[in-house]
Amino acid sequence: MTTPHINAKDNAFAKTVLMPGDPLRAKFIAENFLENAKLVTDVRNMLGFTGLYKGKKISVMGSGMGIPSIGIYSYELINFYGVENIIRVGSCGAINENLNLYDIVLAQGACTNSNFADQYDLKGTYSAISSFDLLKKAYDQCINKNLPVHVGNVLSADIFYNADSQNWKKWQAMNVLAIEMESYGLYCNANKNGAKALSILTVSDSLVSGKETTSEEREKSFTNMMEIALNIG
Ligand code: HPA
């Protein structure tokens, strides 16, 4: 069976899928971390691969940017391909002053300014949270590897270039650690459809200090994040 956005065969995906935003990142992970990786889907060049990590079947696929994009792919993976765990591996902009560049943020929960959860007609606000099981495993890995890790809330923003450039300060005041653009949609889909999800993020820039990472350094910290994701997958 194929879906409107995924042309993989039945059972082509592992129970766990790692999702970076960039499909070429997915290709890089498949080529450098997995054994015997095979391309399983390529609709719109949103590449997905399945291979082995330490003898265990695992998949990796691009999510694209933003809640609508990850919303589509995570929904189809969970509901049509039997995927049980989705681990987003991405970057975030720090809005908490205690976060340094390259630190790891485990998104325990996600806030949003999107109306994604409006579809559920809840007459209230929905707190989109990660899987505690995946969160605990990821946290333990970070502690064992002595990596700088922060656990808390993130903002999954709909808008990267916000007309109100200081808007993040209001989220900062609510103890939100960082901004990214996907976790809220991923967590909603996982919770609604009986799957587990976690976003593991590396701080790529800080809205507090104005500092940004270099692409070379990003590569190194990315490896730490990938290994955590692969080991809990
Ligand atoms: N905003 C949204 N997404 C991001 C950012 C940001 O500042 N940095 C990395 N991803």
Side-chain angles (χ1 to χ4, degrees):
M1 194 235 325
T2 62
T3 71
H5 310 96
I6 300 176
N7 59 1
K9 296 199 178 84
D10 287 354
N11 301 315
F13 284 96
K15 295 294 178 206
T16 298
V17 180
L18 271 48
M19 298 196 93
D22 179 356
L24 292 181
R25 221 345 100 89
K27 184 166 186 270
F28 178 89
I29 295 164
E31 287 171 352
N32 291 280
F33 292 89
L34 303 186
E35 284 160 38
N36 205 17
K38 300 263 180 347
L39 179 73
V40 294
T41 183
D42 63 357
V43 179
R44 289 174 183 243
N45 282 321
M46 195 56 78
L47 309 175
F49 301 83
T50 297
L52 296 174
Y53 181 74
K54 294 184 178 168
K56 198 173 164 213
K57 190 173 163 186
I58 196 152
S59 299
V60 53
M61 179 177 174
S63 70
M65 288 185 286
I67 291 172
S69 186
I70 200 165
I72 290 171
Y73 295 113
S74 59
Y75 185 95
E76 292 184 1
L77 288 171
I78 294 166
N79 290 298
F80 305 131
Y81 286 97
V83 169
E84 294 173 357
N85 306 300
I86 297 182
I87 304 168
R88 163 167 152 69
V89 281
S91 64
C92 63
I95 59 172
N96 178 293
E97 60 200 13
N98 296 323
L99 268 59
N100 295 312
L101 296 184
Y102 311 111
D103 283 2
I104 290 174
V105 175
L106 302 177
Q108 182 179 18
C111 309
T112 195
N113 52 19
S114 132
N115 73 346
F116 190 83
D118 186 62
Q119 62 181 307
Y120 307 123
D121 198 21
L122 294 166
K123 312 295 183 204
T125 50
Y126 179 68
S127 294
I129 59 167
S130 58
S131 150
F132 181 70
D133 177 39
L134 295 179
L135 176 63
K136 181 168 189 312
K137 285 180 184 157
Y139 182 75
D140 290 347
Q141 287 265 334
C142 291
I143 297 301
N144 288 341
K145 290 182 200 289
N146 214 10
L147 297 172
V149 61
H150 308 265
V151 180
N153 230 335
V154 300
L155 170 65
S156 300
D158 251 1
I159 305 156
F160 187 87
Y161 296 107
N162 197 317
D164 174 5
S165 65
Q166 302 300 302
N167 180 264
W168 59 271
K169 290 184 178 166
K170 295 193 173 139
W171 295 99
Q172 178 193 52
M174 293 302 291
N175 196 27
V176 172
L177 302 179
I179 308 182
E180 50 87 82
M181 304 187 79
E182 291 82 17
S183 298
Y184 192 89
L186 172 63
Y187 289 0
C188 281
N189 275 344
N191 283 297
K192 179 76 167 74
N193 299 290
K196 294 180 185 177
L198 175 68
S199 290
I200 304 177
L201 309 164
T202 300
V203 176
S204 62
D205 54 279
S206 170
L207 283 78
V208 183
S209 68
K211 287 184 189 154
E212 291 177 359
T213 53
T214 62
S215 58
E216 209 174 44
E217 286 290 327
R218 269 206 298 274
E219 202 67 54
K220 215 187 294 167
S221 60
F222 172 78
T223 302
N224 287 334
M225 182 169 69
M226 278 319 312
E227 284 174 352
I228 294 161
L230 286 162
N231 280 309
I232 66 170

